[in-house]
């Protein structure tokens, strides 16, 4: 039976200096951002904030300078991400590009693609979305039917993607499609970089129960993409997408989505606060610290070129369970006055009560993650 590997991260940096710099930046950048928008955190789309972050050099900071980055270490990026999430910065516009698409292109993209797109991502101008799920392929991603055929001048794509976060406002997608339909399940898939303004693409937004249009659906009708928009190796899309999912599942956003609630709850306490509230704060801090150590270990392993998909699934499952339960715990702790009086705490709580059910669906459902963990441990 295999075991988990959560080796503590060995890197060390001047975290305090870096934290002060990003906190100074956020104090100005977030001045006019409302409590509700802060509750969206990494899913909130705010182009002005992304542009300001790009100008300040906080996007793609771990990429090489020649592609618009500044050669920062994974740990430095981790510190910046923690501060963004703690402040509730609405950084959703560039989040996917910074977290995974850019890093994926760096590894698998052609030189032309890297030079053209990475600097624009780092500038906070170019937004990406993830084209994995389809109407008949969610948990069972190997059931995707969207396909690309090799034609003169490139690849022709047909099919549809569903639940695509920020597709309505993104300019680019990295999509997993079939390139060899004679192959079953995990074979014959490839990844493509798709410019969403190309002819043949139709995009429709979908509102979730919070009333926000966070995601949408996309239809591809004979969409012609250039030859070098094939990312990586034809037929190796399944292996590549798994490397991408390790980036997607193990970061601090997988346990800090409800963090604004802790900040608002803490601000609402004073010397008369009851012991239950103080105990709850202590318990959340302890849980957060454990999740943080696990997630930091992932950042270290990924930077060493490893693909810790089993451990990443563990971080995502435990993290989602924590951030999903937090709004309910806070609501149970509020007294009658706090329940009914309008406040920043109430505003953040109301949003998170509606948004949090999706935390154990997006990025892979709880059941699927537990299946991955069981298989990784040799239990199924
Ligand atoms: C907020 C949000 C944002 C998203 N953003 C994106 C995005 O940007 N890009 C993208 O590609 N997708 C995105 N998704 C889609 C997400 O990845 C899928 O919703 C998820 O993979 C589940 O797929 P499904 O919705 O088709 O549900 P299904 O796969 O139909 O699953 C329905 C239920 O059955 C359970 N189930 C399914 N199979 C099994 C099994 N074998 N064993 C046990 N239980 C099982 C599931 O756990 C789930 O509870 C997003 C989803 C949400 C909610």
């Amino acid at each position: 039976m295999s075991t988990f590997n959560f080796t503590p991260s060995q890197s060390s940096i001047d975290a305090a200096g870096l934290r002060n710099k990003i906190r100074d930046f956020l104090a100005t950048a977030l001045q006019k951002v409302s409590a509700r928008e802060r509750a969206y955190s990494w899913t909130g789309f705010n182009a002005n904030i992304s542009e300001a972050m790009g100008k300040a050099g906080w996007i793609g900071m771990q990429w090489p300078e020649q592609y618009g980055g500044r050669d920062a270490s994974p740990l430095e990026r981790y510190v910046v991400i923690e501060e963004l999430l703690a402040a509730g910065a609405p950084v959703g516009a560039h989040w996917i590009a910074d977290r995974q698409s850019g890093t994926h292109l760096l590894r698998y993209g052609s030189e032309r693609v890297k030079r053209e797109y990475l600097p624009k991502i780092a500038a906070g101008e170019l937004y990406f979305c993830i084209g994995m799920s389809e109407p008949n392929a969610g948990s069972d991603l190997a059931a995707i039917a969207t396909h690309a055929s090799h034609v003169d001048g490139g690849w022709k794509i047909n099919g549809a993607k569903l639940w695509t976060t920020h597709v309505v406002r993104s300019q680019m997608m990295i999509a997993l499609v079939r390139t060899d339909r004679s192959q079953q399940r995990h074979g014959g898939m490839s990844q493509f970089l798709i410019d969403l303004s190309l002819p043949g693409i139709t995009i429709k937004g979908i509102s979730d129960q919070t009333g926000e249009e966070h995601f949408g659906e996309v239809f591809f009708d004979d969409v012609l993409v250039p030859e070098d928009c094939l990312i990586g190796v034809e037929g190796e899309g399944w292996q590549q997408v798994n490397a991408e999912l390790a980036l997607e599942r193990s970061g601090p956003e997988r346990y800090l989505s409800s963090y604004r609630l802790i900040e608002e709850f803490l601000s609402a306490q004073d010397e008369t606060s009851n012991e239950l509230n103080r105990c709850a704060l202590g318990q959340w801090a302890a849980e957060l610290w454990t999740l943080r150590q696990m997630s930091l270990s992932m950042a270290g392993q990924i930077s060493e070129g490893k693909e810790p998909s089993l451990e990443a699934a563990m971080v995502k499952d435990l993290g989602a369970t924590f951030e999903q339960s937090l709004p309910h715990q806070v609501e149970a702790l509020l007294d009658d006055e706090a329940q009914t009086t309008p406040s920043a705490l109430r505003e953040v709580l109301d949003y998170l009560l509606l948004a949090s059910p999706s935390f154990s669906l997006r990025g892979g459902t709880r059941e699927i993650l537990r299946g991955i963990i069981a298989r990784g441990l040799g239990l199924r």
Side-chain angles (χ1 to χ4, degrees), residues 189-207:
M189 293 187 206
S190 306
Q191 286 189 298
F192 285 90
L193 173 66
I194 304 176
D195 179 337
L196 293 172
S197 66
L198 285 172
I201 295 182
T202 309
I203 297 173
K204 292 184 184 161
I206 302 173
S207 298

